[in-house]
């Protein structure tokens, strides 16, 4: 899931007259083959070669279908996808970030996939937390299938915890024991291989700073908006206390405030070099840490002494961030049957899914993949399924993109500035103090902006307002 520019959905609401797909494919090319175009983002090193490798089996099974793979930069993907929706000229099958699915569905340019879903076994073949984006809240049909999911385990230094006398299963059980463990590491002033080890690393300069706060908000029983997407929860006291719980890392000096000036890649490197004991990152880091030196892997302190573990549970349970990507078909495709075969292969063929996840490090959305020995027999990967099942997706509403990128990332960036004593805050004293009142003010401002945005979006679209009324009645029953 990547950064999404401001959405102006009204521009796209009239695209229902796009070229419709035919019930059968058009006549193939002169050599008798149907040619499909697949758009994907750079999810791995050498992304085109990886997909070509996976597609070898598809081509063998479907010799009459040729697939042209085009890799699109994440930074250009949104414009390319929305242009294809409005013009009717694009790929056949394409990747889109999970939180984009609702917005692109609302534009009217995606092929309904309800029939295909039934043919492959129904939505229960996918893990439950990945299903909500398949049919967004205001949609009438299934418009995409989950491809892979982005979940974030905790990585910790086994040698640091052993030196301090901490049992990982106890420390990572819940928030209280987690905080106690961090305090114990700090008090021990651990030095290994000639350098001081800080308890925790948190990056402050990244496009997705809000994702790091989210588990602490929902884990405390709060939220951003409700599941229907029509009510704001961000300034509820449970949400506020979740944010303040997260900020204790800086208030107590458990995470160096200097890292708030660093990006995720920089702080990840600090873990590799042995300067921090605990670091949370997407599961793809495991591919890097486990790679043998003879195959280009690292021999750093982090790679030599690490393990992965589930993040601690909050008062409301273990509720974690989940991202990832889905695959969809443009309604303008001239090759519907072939495109459905390709989408089904990439998302429901267990060999194809497992191969991709082994290379990328992302977790599978296909449920049965977790039964493979690759996940069952490795202690760092056996927890992937629990990570996925413990995740709480963002509500699949078409205006989530604006909520996240225009409002949340700005105000949560300000909150980190307050914690660091930056330009937004008067705190940041040497003792780690900062103004709680300023944090509350940022959350209230963000909540009010989200309320105004939701009201504007619902009022401007009578169809969505009618669907919402029906969903509310269903909830009441």
């Amino acid at each position: 899931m990547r950064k999404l520019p401001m959405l102006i959905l009204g521009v796209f609401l009239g695209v229902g007259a796009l070229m419709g797909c035919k019930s059968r494919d058009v006549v193939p090319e002169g050599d008798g083959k149907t040619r499909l175009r697949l758009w994907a983002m750079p999810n791995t090193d050498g992304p085109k070669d990886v997909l070509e490798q996976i597609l070898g089996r598809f081509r063998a099974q479907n010799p009459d279908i040729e697939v042209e793979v085009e890799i699109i930069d994440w930074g250009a993907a949104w414009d390319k996808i929305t242009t294809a929706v409005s013009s009717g000229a694009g790929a056949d099958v394409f990747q889109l970030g999970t939180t984009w699915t609702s917005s692109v569905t609302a534009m009217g340019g995606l092929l309904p996939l309800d029939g295909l879903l039934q043919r492959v076994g129904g939505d229960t073949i996918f893990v439950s937390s990945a299903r909500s984006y398949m049919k967004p809240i205001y949609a009438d049909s299934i418009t995409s299938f989950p491809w892979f999911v982005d979940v974030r385990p905790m990585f910790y230094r086994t040698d640091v915890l052993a030196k301090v006398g901490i049992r990982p299963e106890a420390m990572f059980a819940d928030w209280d024991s987690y905080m106690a463990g961090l305090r114990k590491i700090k008090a021990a002033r651990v030095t290994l291989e000639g350098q001081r080890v800080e308890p925790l690393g948190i990056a402050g300069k990244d496009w997705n700073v809000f994702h790091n706060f989210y588990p602490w908000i929902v884990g405390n029983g709060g939220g951003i908006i409700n599941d229907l997407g029509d009510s704001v929860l961000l300034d509820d006291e449970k949400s506020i206390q979740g944010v303040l719980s997260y900020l204790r890392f800086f208030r107590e000096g458990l995470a160096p405030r200097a890292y708030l000036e660093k990006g995720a890649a920089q702080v990840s490197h600090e873990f590799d070099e042995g300067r921090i004991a605990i670091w949370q990152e997407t599961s793809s880091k495991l591919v890097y840490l486990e790679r043998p030196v003879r195959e280009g892997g690292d021999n750093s302190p982090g790679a030599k002494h690490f393990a992965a573990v589930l993040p601690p549970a909050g008062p409301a349970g273990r509720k974690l961030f989940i991202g990832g990507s889905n695959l969809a078909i443009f309604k303008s495709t001239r090759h519907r049957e072939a495109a459905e075969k390709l989408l089904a292969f990439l998302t429901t063929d267990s060999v194809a899914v497992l191969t991709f996840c082994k290379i990328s490090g992302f977790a599978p959305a296909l449920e049965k993949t977790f039964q493979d020995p690759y996940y069952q027999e490795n202690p760092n990967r056996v927890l992937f399924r629990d990570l996925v099942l413990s995740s709480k997706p963002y509500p699949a509403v078409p205006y989530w993109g604006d909520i996240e990128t225009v409002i949340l990332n700005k105000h949560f960036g300000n909150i980190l500035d307050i914690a660091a004593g930056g330009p937004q805050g008067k705190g940041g004293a040497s003792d780690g103090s900062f103004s709680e009142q300023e944090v509350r003010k940022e959350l209230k401002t963000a909540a009010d902006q989200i309320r105004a945005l939701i009201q504007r979006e619902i009022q401007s679209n009578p169809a969505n307002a009618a669907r919402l009324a029906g969903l509310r009645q269903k909830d009441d029953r």
Side-chain angles (χ1 to χ4, degrees):
M1 185 168 50
R2 302 283 175 164
K3 188 171 183 178
L4 179 61
M6 180 177 288
L7 308 177
I8 308 176
L9 293 180
V11 174
F12 301 104
L13 293 176
V15 299
L18 282 173
M19 179 192 302
C21 60
K22 298 182 179 181
S23 59
R24 300 183 61 82
D25 289 354
V26 298
V27 177
E29 307 291 343
D31 59 2
K33 289 191 175 184
T34 297
R35 285 178 166 75
L36 297 177
R37 295 172 65 198
L38 170 65
W39 283 352
M41 283 63 135
N43 307 297
T44 62
D45 292 335
K48 185 168 183 176
D49 290 342
V50 169
L51 285 174
E52 293 290 356
Q53 173 189 338
I54 292 170
L55 289 170
R57 288 181 58 253
F58 178 79
R59 293 186 175 105
Q61 296 169 8
N62 301 275
D64 58 334
I65 301 175
E66 187 52 60
V67 182
E68 176 188 346
V69 177
E70 182 179 347
I71 303 300
I72 305 169
D73 254 1
W74 275 104
W78 176 255
D79 287 342
K80 199 169 182 75
I81 290 169
T82 54
T83 298
V85 169
S86 58
S87 69
D92 298 280
V93 179
F94 69 102
Q95 174 186 352
L96 70 170
T98 51
T99 58
W100 296 8
T101 56
S102 184
S103 299
V104 180
T105 296
M107 297 172 192
L110 300 187
L111 189 72
L113 301 174
D114 304 79
L116 177 62
L117 182 63
Q118 293 309 307
R119 293 197 295 276
V120 299
D123 65 357
T124 57
I125 67 171
F126 301 111
V127 293
S128 57
S129 55
R131 297 175 201 162
S132 62
Y133 295 112
M134 298 174 68
K135 182 180 179 181
I137 290 173
Y138 298 139
D140 295 319
S141 302
I142 300 292
T143 56
S144 64
F145 282 13
W147 188 15
F148 61 85
V149 294
D150 172 10
V151 287
R152 303 183 177 187
M154 291 280 193
F155 296 94
Y156 68 91
R157 289 278 301 273
T158 54
D159 52 347
V160 172
L161 267 63
K163 185 178 180 68
V164 179
I166 294 175
R167 292 186 301 112
E169 61 273 21
M171 176 175 175
F172 293 96
D174 55 46
W175 287 2
D176 289 341
S177 57
Y178 180 56
M179 296 295 291
L182 291 172
R183 293 184 188 115
K184 190 171 182 179
I185 295 170
K186 180 185 178 184
R189 301 180 64 84
V190 178
T191 299
L192 289 172
E193 301 188 29
Q195 59 186 350
R196 172 76 178 274
V197 183
E198 299 287 351
L200 176 66
I202 294 176
K205 299 298 180 184
D206 233 348
W207 63 268
N208 63 354
V209 294
F210 165 69
H211 297 333
N212 298 328
F213 281 90
Y214 180 67
W216 292 79
I217 294 171
V218 292
N220 198 53
I224 310 302
I225 57 178
N226 66 341
D227 290 342
L228 291 182
D230 64 330
S231 179
V232 178
L233 308 174
L234 182 58
D235 53 353
D236 288 357
E237 190 59 26
K238 286 183 178 180
S239 301
I240 294 170
Q241 289 302 321
V243 172
L244 294 173
S245 293
Y246 184 80
L247 293 178
R248 283 190 297 170
F249 298 132
F250 306 107
R251 175 165 279 166
E252 299 188 25
L254 303 173
R257 284 187 292 163
Y259 287 175
L260 293 179
E261 297 303 319
K262 296 179 183 289
Q266 293 172 294
V267 183
S268 181
H269 183 68
E270 294 287 290
F271 177 86
D272 299 339
E273 293 302 307
R275 288 188 279 271
I276 51 179
I278 296 169
W279 166 245
Q280 186 172 19
E281 189 176 337
T282 182
S283 59
S284 57
K285 185 171 181 64
L286 192 58
V287 173
Y288 167 77
L289 291 171
E290 287 189 333
R291 184 178 295 146
V293 174
R294 65 180 181 276
E295 296 177 13
D298 195 7
N299 197 34
S300 67
K304 288 188 295 185
H305 307 285
F306 87 94
V309 67
L310 289 170
R318 184 176 284 109
K319 297 185 179 182
L320 308 175
F321 164 81
I322 185 170
S325 285
N326 286 19
L327 291 178
I329 301 173
F330 282 119
K331 189 180 289 185
S332 55
T333 181
R334 297 166 60 234
H335 309 293
R336 175 174 182 165
E337 293 176 10
E340 288 186 344
K341 285 183 180 180
L342 176 60
L343 183 145
F345 173 81
L346 290 172
T347 57
T348 69
D349 182 282
S350 57
V351 175
V353 172
L354 181 61
T355 302
F356 177 83
C357 289
K358 282 183 176 181
I359 297 171
S360 69
F362 290 114
L366 186 66
E367 176 71 59
K368 65 182 178 182
T369 314
F370 287 107
Q371 301 307 313
D372 190 89
Y374 181 74
Y375 290 102
Q376 293 294 315
E377 296 177 2
N378 182 301
N380 291 320
R381 286 191 294 266
V382 73
L383 57 87
F384 276 26
R385 186 171 185 272
D386 285 336
L387 281 167
V388 173
L389 295 179
S390 299
S391 299
K392 183 171 176 56
Y394 298 134
V397 291
Y399 38 85
W400 178 261
D402 278 352
I403 290 175
E404 181 181 319
T405 63
V406 179
I407 300 174
L408 293 177
N409 277 342
K410 173 186 175 182
H411 288 285
F412 279 88
N414 290 347
I415 287 171
L416 288 180
D417 280 341
I418 293 168
Q424 297 293 329
K426 301 182 180 64
S430 60
D431 63 356
S433 64
F434 56 85
S435 170
E436 179 181 316
Q437 206 55 40
E438 288 187 52
V439 174
R440 288 178 174 271
K441 181 180 177 182
E442 288 291 337
L443 293 172
K444 181 66 167 63
T445 301
D448 288 342
Q449 290 175 354
I450 296 171
R451 286 189 183 93
L453 184 151
I454 290 175
Q455 184 177 24
R456 184 169 64 250
E457 292 290 341
I458 293 176
Q459 288 180 348
S460 66
N461 192 325
N464 284 351
R467 288 188 181 97
L468 180 59
L471 290 170
R472 285 171 178 160
Q473 290 179 351
K474 185 177 180 180
D475 265 12
D476 290 342
R477 292 197 296 270

